[in-house]
Amino acid sequence: MGQLLVIGCINWDINLFLNRFPQIGEEVTITKIRRVPGGTAANVAVAASRLMEKQEVTLIGGIGADDIGRTQLSVLKAEGINISGIQTFSDEESGHAYIVIDDQGQNCIHTYFGANRCILPQVIRDPTIMNLIKAAEVIVIMDPPLSTALKVAELGKANDSLVIWDPGVYCELGIDALLPTLANIDYFVSNQIEFTTLLNTREPKRIGQRLASVNANIMAVVKQGAMGCTLIKEQGEFTTVVPSINLLAVGMKVVNTVGCGDAFIGAFAAAKLKGCEDEAALVQANYAGAYKATREETRGSPTRDELLAFINYIHNRHQGIV
């Protein structure tokens, strides 16, 4: 099998669990605190690696020269990830995310990017990093600086790699800021709210048409949480809806939705590297995201055995997806 490369944020998550979100100016009691490794790109890399063989996933990102950075390297290495693309910056501290989670598993995230912001295009031009990118058959771009996302997308396209991009927080910059990168990718992944904000429509055909004006071959994956996901391709002429997994119907509870989207993308990318068709890859991604929702930790994505057992359990309860 070839290589999968992920680039973007590596954070340390401070998860604050409470019964309900406070109103502005209100103080509420935190019931539990969990400090765990996170960051969108690191989460995606771990999710993919757990479904693949060791050293088949490479991560490019930035950490500080601090205890958190050293812990991140140790944790990622233990997950079987190639960490040779992770850069350490002595003048920045490692990224942090402060995440508030209510008793329904919903969340609000407050991120300090720190060393993540240091992965600039000049870092990508380093020969070692360039070789890692060139070796990748599938590239997942999460949330590095926008100029870096563009550079990696251009390199991926030039190397005939399959390029997947979830811009995350950069959606707030508007569609014009994303256009250069969109012209160089194969899959644009985002959630329903972000697609609606960017393109002023929720209608799949119009989403496909608007993206096709930039890149005729681009495919869109709309993450819809409890509603599943929608694949849009062929300039909006072809749409496939992949339903979600109804956890409550099979006696399971949503514990924490932080990291579900990352588990989804990691599983989707791993399936595409294995040669799966889009629909089959998205089914695997939905199951991985649903499994993660039942886990407290940010990186609660399943291993291959756990994913297979979860799928069998759902099917046995007659609540699977067709």
Side-chain angles (χ1 to χ4, degrees):
M1 187 180 292
Q3 287 289 312
L4 191 157
L5 182 138
V6 186
I7 180 168
C9 283
I10 306 169
N11 289 330
W12 194 257
D13 289 356
I14 297 88
N15 292 338
L16 309 175
F17 292 85
L18 38 70
N19 292 326
R20 63 176 178 84
F21 295 120
Q23 300 180 47
I24 294 176
E26 181 187 15
E27 181 179 358
V28 297
T29 301
I30 293 172
T31 60
K32 182 168 50 180
I33 298 177
R34 291 290 182 268
R35 297 170 177 87
V36 293
T40 55
N43 296 342
V44 168
V46 169
S49 184
R50 289 177 179 175
L51 301 175
M52 298 167 60
E53 301 299 328
K54 291 185 180 300
Q55 298 295 303
E56 286 184 338
V57 178
T58 296
L59 177 61
I60 297 175
I63 56 173
D66 47 36
D67 289 341
I68 286 177
R70 288 184 284 273
T71 299
Q72 294 280 27
L73 292 178
S74 177
V75 169
L76 292 165
K77 186 175 181 180
E79 291 282 359
I81 294 169
N82 177 359
I83 60 173
S84 63
I86 298 177
Q87 308 294 297
T88 301
F89 299 93
S90 59
D91 55 347
E92 284 282 358
E93 64 177 294
S94 296
H96 291 69
Y98 300 86
I99 305 172
V100 182
I101 305 157
D102 73 2
D103 62 0
Q104 302 300 308
Q106 300 180 97
N107 65 82
C108 293
I109 304 175
H110 313 268
T111 302
Y112 172 73
F113 285 96
N116 292 299
R117 292 295 194 210
C118 298
I119 302 298
L120 297 170
Q122 53 264 38
V123 173
I124 301 304
R125 296 187 189 102
D126 178 87
T128 299
I129 301 298
M130 289 286 286
N131 287 336
L132 292 174
I133 295 171
K134 289 178 180 178
E137 291 184 23
V138 175
I139 296 174
V140 180
I141 305 171
M142 294 302 290
D143 48 5
L146 198 53
S147 57
T148 302
L150 173 58
K151 179 64 176 177
V152 175
E154 289 175 337
L155 290 169
K157 183 176 181 180
N159 294 331
D160 291 325
S161 302
L162 188 72
V163 182
I164 302 165
W165 186 34
D166 184 339
V169 68
Y170 294 111
C171 286
E172 68 184 16
L173 299 178
I175 189 64
D176 289 344
L178 307 186
L179 292 179
T181 306
L182 288 172
N184 291 279
I185 65 171
D186 298 289
Y187 294 90
F188 181 39
V189 183
S190 200
N191 65 42
Q192 184 71 75
I193 294 173
E194 289 163 342
F195 268 109
T196 302
T197 301
L198 282 172
L199 302 174
N200 296 315
T201 182
R202 295 174 58 92
E203 204 279 310
K205 186 169 184 177
R206 292 183 65 194
I207 290 174
Q209 290 172 337
R210 292 189 178 184
L211 291 176
S213 67
V214 181
N215 179 343
N217 297 314
I218 196 170
M219 287 170 275
V221 176
V222 184
K223 297 182 294 181
Q224 297 164 301
M227 301 295 292
C229 66
T230 299
L231 172 69
I232 305 167
K233 58 184 180 181
E234 296 177 13
Q235 303 181 35
E237 295 298 326
F238 183 89
T239 299
T240 299
V241 176
V242 182
S244 64
I245 313 303
N246 189 339
L247 293 172
L248 291 177
V250 294
M252 304 183 78
K253 180 183 178 181
V254 174
V255 176
N256 181 6
T257 58
V258 179
C260 288
D262 301 332
F264 176 95
I265 294 175
F268 176 72
K272 291 305 297 180
L273 186 64
K274 294 176 184 177
C276 292
E277 296 294 330
D278 291 332
E279 291 80 3
L282 289 171
V283 168
Q284 173 170 292
N286 264 2
Y287 274 111
Y291 180 94
K292 160 61 201 84
T294 68
R295 304 289 294 273
E296 185 176 277
E297 64 270 29
T298 304
R299 293 183 188 165
S301 54
T303 64
R304 278 177 294 189
D305 289 344
E306 288 170 339
L307 183 60
L308 180 60
F310 181 64
I311 292 171
N312 287 337
Y313 173 79
I314 298 296
H315 282 180
N316 289 340
R317 294 293 297 266
H318 306 289
Q319 293 294 331
I321 50 182
V322 178

